[in-house]
């Protein structure tokens, strides 16, 4: 959609929805109902948890709802700081059912955390309750048109400058008039089921070494199996006390087996199948994590584990996705489709620095 067409489209939406600007801080009445949009990826949900906790602690009499996705809602199961969650499934009939369910609640506030496809979020917010106060991240050039869908636009000045968990906590503090303390954004409650912890503990007890490193090979951008093999050789050579554990998505098990079989009993593969919670439990028990850019970074950060991670240099707002709690080293790749320009030697030096 071109700029002119977009302006016409949003002008028409403005006449339909008639959203009036609201000033901050917003007043929250007792028993208010607050809906947050977080219908995207697993890592996005992880970095949102501190802001959910802060919001619930400040407004404990309010109902906190989250509109989640089919892949990230599991983090809200038995989660004490969100009262209700609804999953936004694919398919027009399922979406209509979800919309009708949410319309019945009559939310007072709808806060968007999905900062792309803003039009979709705005339309959903207005269809759920046109009378709710609707909030979104501002934009460098589109605030005039976004104001047709939202009552409040958060200033964009911090985008790309601080980790996302900090940005979201500042978002909430600004919106409701609370002073911001960076410690707020470091409080992650992740409910790992006891059975997953027990599975992870049983496995880790079979891995020799007084310390353990977890190496994840699965992500959209790959590092070659030869690079992983070389990295493992360097680790074994210098760190006799370090147990090496590999994890992967089931689609990468063939590559995982190829890597591990080269090292006899010195390297171990943890295959959790479809139960990602077992892998999350394992992250909570190891001493260091090495991984490409994926949700494993955010889980390791939530548990305060040192992280060596690989990122693409041209990722939008890269600074938003770095850890805010753990010690970390970030290896930045210039390749658009893999991380193979990062050498195993450089990766090893980073891991060595974190271990020492």
């Amino acid at each position: 959609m071109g700029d002119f067409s977009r302006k016409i489209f949003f002008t028409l939406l403005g006449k339909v929805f008639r959203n009036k600007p609201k000033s901050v801080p917003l007043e929250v009445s007792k028993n208010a109902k607050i809906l947050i949009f977080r219908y995207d990826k697993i890592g996005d949900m992880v970095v949102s948890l501190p802001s959910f906790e802060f919001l619930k602690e400040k407004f404990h009499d309010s109902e906190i709802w989250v509109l989640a996705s089919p892949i990230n809602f599991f983090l809200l199961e038995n989660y004490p700081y969100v009262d209700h969650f609804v999953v936004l499934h694919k398919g027009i009939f399922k979406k209509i059912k979800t919309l009708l369910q949410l319309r019945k609640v009559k939310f007072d506030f709808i806060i968007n955390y999905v900062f792309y496809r803003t039009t979709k979020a705005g339309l959903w917010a207005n269809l759920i309750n046109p009378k709710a106060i609707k909030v979104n991240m501002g934009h460098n050039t589109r605030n005039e048109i976004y104001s047709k869908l939202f009552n409040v636009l958060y200033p964009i000045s911090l985008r790309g400058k601080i980790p996302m968990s900090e940005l979201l906590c500042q978002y909430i503090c600004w919106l409701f008039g609370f002073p911001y303390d960076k410690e707020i954004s470091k409080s992650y409650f992740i409910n790992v089921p006891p059975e997953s912890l027990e599975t992870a503990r049983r496995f880790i007890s079979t891995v020799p070494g007084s310390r353990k490193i977890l190496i994840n090979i699965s992500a959209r951008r790959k590092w070659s199996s030869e690079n992983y093999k070389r990295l493992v050789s360097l680790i074994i050579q210098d760190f006799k006390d370090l147990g090496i554990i590999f994890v992967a998505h089931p689609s990468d098990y063939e590559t995982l087996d190829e890597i591990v079989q080269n090292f006899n009993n010195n390297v171990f593969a943890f295959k959790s199948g479809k139960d990602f919670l077992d892998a999350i439990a394992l992250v909570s028990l190891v001493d260091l994590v090495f991984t490409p850019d994926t949700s494993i970074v955010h889980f390791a950060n939530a548990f305060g584990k040192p992280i060596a991670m690989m990122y693409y240099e041209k990722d939008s707002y890269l600074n938003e996705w770095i850890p805010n709690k753990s010690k970390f080293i970030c290896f930045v790749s210039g390749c658009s489709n893999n991380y193979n320009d990062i050498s195993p030697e450089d990766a090893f030096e980073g891991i060595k620095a974190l271990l020492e």
Side-chain angles (χ1 to χ4, degrees), residues 69-85:
S69 74
I71 62 171
N72 69 17
F73 77 89
F74 73 92
L75 286 166
L76 301 179
E77 293 181 315
N78 301 311
Y79 178 71
Y81 302 107
V82 167
D83 298 288
H84 308 280
F85 67 87

Side-chain angles (χ1 to χ4, degrees), residues 221-239:
R221 294 186 181 92
K222 305 291 186 183
W223 207 40
S224 73
S225 58
E226 294 306 313
N227 282 333
Y228 283 111
K229 292 174 191 176
R230 175 60 179 156
L231 175 62
V232 169
S233 296
L234 292 168
I235 293 173
I236 291 173
Q237 180 178 316
D238 266 40
F239 292 96

Side-chain angles (χ1 to χ4, degrees), residues 320-339:
E320 289 184 353
W321 304 109
I322 61 175
N324 74 315
K325 182 177 178 180
S326 296
K327 292 192 301 181
F328 71 93
I329 289 179
C330 184
F331 307 102
V332 180
S333 169
C335 296
S336 61
N337 59 352
N338 62 60
Y339 296 112

Side-chain angles (χ1 to χ4, degrees), residues 248-266:
H249 185 272
S251 62
D252 290 320
Y253 278 174
E254 185 176 341
T255 303
L256 179 64
D257 291 336
E258 178 200 341
I259 295 168
V260 172
Q261 70 185 4
N262 283 268
F263 297 97
N264 298 320
N265 295 321
N266 293 318

Side-chain angles (χ1 to χ4, degrees), residues 135-153:
V135 186
N136 187 61
M137 175 67 66
H139 191 276
N140 282 328
T141 60
R142 297 178 184 171
N143 279 354
E144 182 182 354
I145 56 178
Y146 285 173
S147 65
K148 310 299 182 185
L149 293 173
F150 299 95
N151 306 96
V152 181
L153 294 173

Side-chain angles (χ1 to χ4, degrees), residues 9-67:
F9 176 67
F10 277 86
T11 298
L12 292 173
L13 289 179
K15 293 185 179 298
V16 172
F17 295 127
R18 300 181 182 278
N19 285 299
K20 295 180 180 179
K22 300 288 184 180
S23 59
V24 295
L26 299 175
E27 294 288 333
V28 180
S29 61
K30 191 174 182 180
N31 301 320
K33 296 176 181 178
I34 302 171
L35 173 63
I36 298 173
F37 289 170
R38 187 78 281 181
Y39 47 78
D40 38 11
K41 297 179 182 179
I42 295 172
D44 298 296
M45 185 66 81
V46 176
V47 299
S48 302
L49 297 178
S51 66
F52 295 165
E53 181 175 341
F54 178 73
L55 192 60
K56 187 60 180 177
E57 287 181 346
K58 290 298 182 182
F59 302 118
H60 53 85
D61 291 325
S62 297
E63 286 185 24
I64 310 298
W65 290 61
V66 175
L67 182 59

Side-chain angles (χ1 to χ4, degrees), residues 115-158:
F115 298 146
Y116 60 95
R117 297 182 180 175
T118 300
T119 304
K120 174 183 175 180
L123 289 172
W124 266 92
N126 282 276
L127 291 172
I128 289 169
N129 186 6
K131 295 181 179 180
I133 295 176
K134 296 165 286 292
V135 186
N136 187 61
M137 175 67 66
H139 191 276
N140 282 328
T141 60
R142 297 178 184 171
N143 279 354
E144 182 182 354
I145 56 178
Y146 285 173
S147 65
K148 310 299 182 185
L149 293 173
F150 299 95
N151 306 96
V152 181
L153 294 173
Y154 178 59
I156 198 171
S157 57
L158 291 176

Side-chain angles (χ1 to χ4, degrees), residues 113-311:
Y113 275 19
V114 183
F115 298 146
Y116 60 95
R117 297 182 180 175
T118 300
T119 304
K120 174 183 175 180
L123 289 172
W124 266 92
N126 282 276
L127 291 172
I128 289 169
N129 186 6
K131 295 181 179 180
I133 295 176
K134 296 165 286 292
V135 186
N136 187 61
M137 175 67 66
H139 191 276
N140 282 328
T141 60
R142 297 178 184 171
N143 279 354
E144 182 182 354
I145 56 178
Y146 285 173
S147 65
K148 310 299 182 185
L149 293 173
F150 299 95
N151 306 96
V152 181
L153 294 173
Y154 178 59
I156 198 171
S157 57
L158 291 176
R159 283 231 62 184
K161 297 178 181 177
I162 59 176
M164 181 57 73
S165 55
E166 294 182 18
L167 179 66
L168 294 175
C169 287
Q170 292 204 35
Y171 187 27
I172 294 299
C173 287
W174 174 83
L175 192 59
F176 297 109
F178 297 112
Y180 173 70
D181 182 339
K182 189 177 284 191
E183 292 304 308
I184 296 168
S185 66
K186 297 179 182 179
S187 181
Y188 293 86
F189 181 94
I190 295 179
N191 185 37
V192 181
E195 56 270 24
S196 292
L197 275 172
E198 181 58 29
T199 297
R201 287 193 181 107
R202 281 200 307 269
F203 176 84
I204 212 166
S205 68
T206 67
V207 179
S210 58
R211 295 184 293 176
K212 309 293 189 295
I213 180 173
L214 181 74
I215 300 177
N216 168 50
I217 69 170
S218 294
R220 183 165 59 90
R221 294 186 181 92
K222 305 291 186 183
W223 207 40
S224 73
S225 58
E226 294 306 313
N227 282 333
Y228 283 111
K229 292 174 191 176
R230 175 60 179 156
L231 175 62
V232 169
S233 296
L234 292 168
I235 293 173
I236 291 173
Q237 180 178 316
D238 266 40
F239 292 96
K240 307 300 183 185
D241 69 326
L242 192 63
I244 303 170
I245 303 168
F246 274 84
V247 294
H249 185 272
S251 62
D252 290 320
Y253 278 174
E254 185 176 341
T255 303
L256 179 64
D257 291 336
E258 178 200 341
I259 295 168
V260 172
Q261 70 185 4
N262 283 268
F263 297 97
N264 298 320
N265 295 321
N266 293 318
V267 180
F268 297 80
F270 180 76
K271 296 182 178 180
S272 59
K274 294 183 179 180
D275 196 346
F276 190 44
L277 286 166
D278 291 350
I280 295 170
L282 192 62
V283 172
S284 74
L285 299 175
V286 298
D287 298 282
L288 186 144
V289 172
F290 177 72
T291 179
D293 175 20
T294 185
S295 62
I296 294 290
V297 170
H298 305 299
F299 285 112
N301 177 61
F303 295 125
K305 303 298 179 179
I307 311 161
M309 57 196 190
M310 297 182 284
Y311 275 63

